[in-house]
Structure formats: structure tokens, C-alpha cells
Amino acid sequence: MTEMKTSSFWKTTLKGARYVVAPMVDQSELAWRLLSRRHGAQLCYTPMLHAQVFVRDANYRRENLYSEVCSEDRPLIVQFCANDPEVFVQAGLLAQDYCDAIDLNLGCPQMIAKRGHYGAFLQEEWELLQNMISMASERLTVPVTCKIRVFPEIEKTVEYAKMLEKAGCQLLTVHGRTKEQKGPLTGIASWEHIKAVRKAVSIPVFANGNVQYLSDVKRCLQETGVEGVMSAEGSLHNPALFEGRSPPVWEMSEEYLQIVQQYPCPLSFIRAHLFKLWHHTLQIYKDLRDELAKAKNLQGIVDVNTRLKLKCKQEEKAYEKEGDRTNGQLHLPHWICQPYVRPVPKDVSLENGGNHLLENVGRKRSLEEEEEEEDDGDGNTENLSKKKQKKKARNPNKSFDTSLKPKYAKCEQCGNPKGSKCIFNLCRGCCKKKAYKETADCLGHGLLFKTKYEKQLLWKAAQNSTMSNGEVDNHNQIVEETTEYCKTEKT
């Protein structure tokens, strides 16, 4: 019965979608989803949304979902990151009327996910995940889906997928990379892991990884047996990927900018999309790259896009006359939509047992390592990151010597800086949760739960006190009654 239900969900609600655009932070907004749908995408995800912020902030809900309602934008899956079952359910309840399913992000490998304790950094906490998915599948009116990364071992990955299915997941997207495979060491995704998962579960499975052309999509469908294939970076560099076309960049960028005028989004989203689309061209016209980065409004971005188009049109004419002369490693002229392949670090070799180096090269440096490599205070910037070198160029007097930075005491629960006057020795977020749970005050953070609670009870007691012969009961008596009332309420 469950297998029939999940299969029906994919075939009916999702219309048998095979070509899927991935959830991408600040990149899969409504305008981009509409562009993708017009060029072959059959299913789209929202960007990853923070469940806790979504629950508590009405503006966040409006800006990221409620104001983006569009009849063209279906079927649609809303993705949340969360680590609390109740918060995940509450977010799903607020979003379920605007989508076709709710997805739990279990694949984000970034450091911010590690600090926030979500994404791929929950993949070892099976009991928590079972509670989150089972509770959501029971209380939501739309299906619950998951997007995961694989473990190095195929067997463990299969057991992980089967656990999620048993908990109530009705569709599983498997990114065939581990959480350590990111940045310059993204590497090749393992379709063998995905194939093994597909054979082991009865729910629909989407594959993610190694998709740059439509031929890759078809090969993945054939080799893994999955129901659909998801693309992230491939679609960012070529929105027409699922059509099997490689159009001129300006064709896609102009269409996207037209959609943005109808469905506005933050300027940073637009700029990021154009950097992806024009990536290869901007390696040549670096002056226009700087202008695109500095554009202050939509018209400024449109102007830079027009100038890039004119320059490429001129090159295109020369290209047609002189014949094929693609430069570097590109298979097509730089003004044609095509994938970007990250260069592998020179000191990493996957041959002769060099795979173990992946664990160290490209990983996030620890705070101690950064302190060792940072500026020694004498102006030496050789070991600084590019971002810090730019800051140094703007302000030559700026120092990154960590010994000069103030040392903050850490919150006892989450490790963030604690409030200097907090009576619980916590940061504001943790203090607020504790004070609310225990009905306590923290003057250091301006939290007055206990005071407000007692005032409320005092007012209730005053309202309930009887009035006789026009005389008001003695104030001290009311206080005594309130105290007794508080004790009763607490028990």
C-alpha cells in the first residue's frame, strides 16, 4: 500500500518528473525556476529555507515563499533545514498550502551547516531523523521527502536510505558524493551508491551528481534506474541543459532579466546568476567583470549584460570567418552556455593510493590553523586569503593578528559568545529558550518572562477578587492570593 502511495505521488502529483532543478541557496528563486521550466525542467525546489526562521519570522515567510506564488511554478517542493522535529513540523504546516511536498535537507556539506547542526551533519543521528520524518509525515497533508549525501560505504548508505523510507520519506534524492567532497575537491559522484539505493528501496529516487549535459542525464537514468535526475551547477551554467541545447549566453541572460522584471528578487541573486552564465567570458573581459560586481541596480546589470553581448557578437563574426579556434580547455566558444569544471589542486593525485589526501586538501581549516597562517602584524600578506588581501588593500593599517582580537567567553550550550551579564552564562538565543522554559528573568539580555508572568497572574487575581459594599480588597491580600495562585499554577 505504501509503495503504491509513493509511486502515485511521483506519477500523479509530480507528473512523473524526470528533469529536476536542485534546491540552491539564493539561486533557485522564482525567476530562475520559471526560466528553467521554460527550458525543459519538470520539477523545481525552492532554495533551502531555515525552518526555525520560517516559523518565527513572518517577513521571511513572505519574502521566500508567500510572495512567490505563481501558477507556472508547479509542481514545487519546499526544502527546509532543521534539527528539531517540532520546528520542522511547524514550518511544514506553514508551507504545505504553497507546495506539493516538504523536503528535509540532509545534504548540505558547508561549514555553516556544521555550525548550525543541520544538513549532512545530521547523517549519523538516525534516531533524531526518524522522529523528524515520522512526525512530519503524520501531521502534514503533503508528502515528506529527503535529500541526502552518501557515506563512503555503499552498505551504510543503503541502510541509511532504508531507515529514511521506513520513517515515512516518500521520495529520496541521493547526491552521490560524501559530505567531504566539496569545493575544489568535489570530484566524481558515485552512481554505484545511487544504483544500490535505488535497488534497495521501494520509494522513487532522484540522482544528483555528474550532470553537465542531457546525455549525462539519459546515461544516469539508464545506469542507475532512478526515476529522475537533479541538476544544480550544470543548470546554473546552462538553463537549457534539459533541452539538450547550448544556446548563446545572452539568450538565457536576457530572458532571465525579463522574468526578473516581472518577478523581482534581490540584486545579489541576479548578479550571482550572471556571473555563472557569463563565467567563461568574464575571464576575458575582466573590466566588465568588475563593473558587474559594482552594479548598484537592475539597470546597471542590464547595461553590463548588453555590453558583453555586443563584444561576443563581434567575436562571433570573426569566429565564423576564421573557423574553429576555441581557446584553452573549452569545447565551445566562451559565449556559448557550457559547464565549468573546477581544476583539481596540483598537489592532489587520485592515482597510486592518493585518494586519502582528499581528507586534508580543500577541507575547512581549523581556527588554530588560520591563526598560524594569518598576518603576523608586520604587514606580510602572503598567507592571507584573497578576501583578506582585498581588505588589506582598502585599509593598509588593518591587522589580522589574532592575538590582538578580544577573547570572548563561550556560551555553555552552543559555543557562540555568551552575554557578559547573562545570569545563565549563555548567548542570547540559548538564554531566551532557557528563560522561557523555566519562566525566569535575565536582566543581562532584557528577558522578563517571570516578571511578565507574575504581573499577568496579579491582574487575573485582581479581576477575580470580589467587590463588596463598594470597597476594594486590601492590596496585601491580593498579593498573598497571587502568590498562592502562582504556586498552584507551577505545580
Side-chain angles (χ1 to χ4, degrees), residues 211-262:
V211 176
Q212 296 179 334
Y213 299 97
L214 183 60
S215 57
D216 297 328
V217 175
K218 293 179 178 178
R219 187 163 57 89
C220 182
L221 289 169
Q222 183 176 4
E223 292 185 14
T224 63
V226 294
E227 278 71 18
V229 175
M230 176 182 286
S231 175
E233 284 206 19
S235 66
L236 288 177
H237 287 279
N238 181 10
L241 182 153
F242 291 125
E243 287 183 319
R245 293 195 306 127
S246 295
V249 174
W250 61 79
E251 179 184 323
M252 294 291 98
S253 61
E254 287 179 342
E255 184 175 356
Y256 171 67
L257 291 171
Q258 289 175 358
I259 298 173
V260 165
Q261 292 178 351
Q262 185 177 359

Side-chain angles (χ1 to χ4, degrees), residues 18-31:
R18 291 193 176 274
Y19 302 155
V20 186
V21 173
M24 297 172 283
V25 175
D26 296 345
Q27 295 282 266
S28 56
E29 81 286 355
L30 176 60

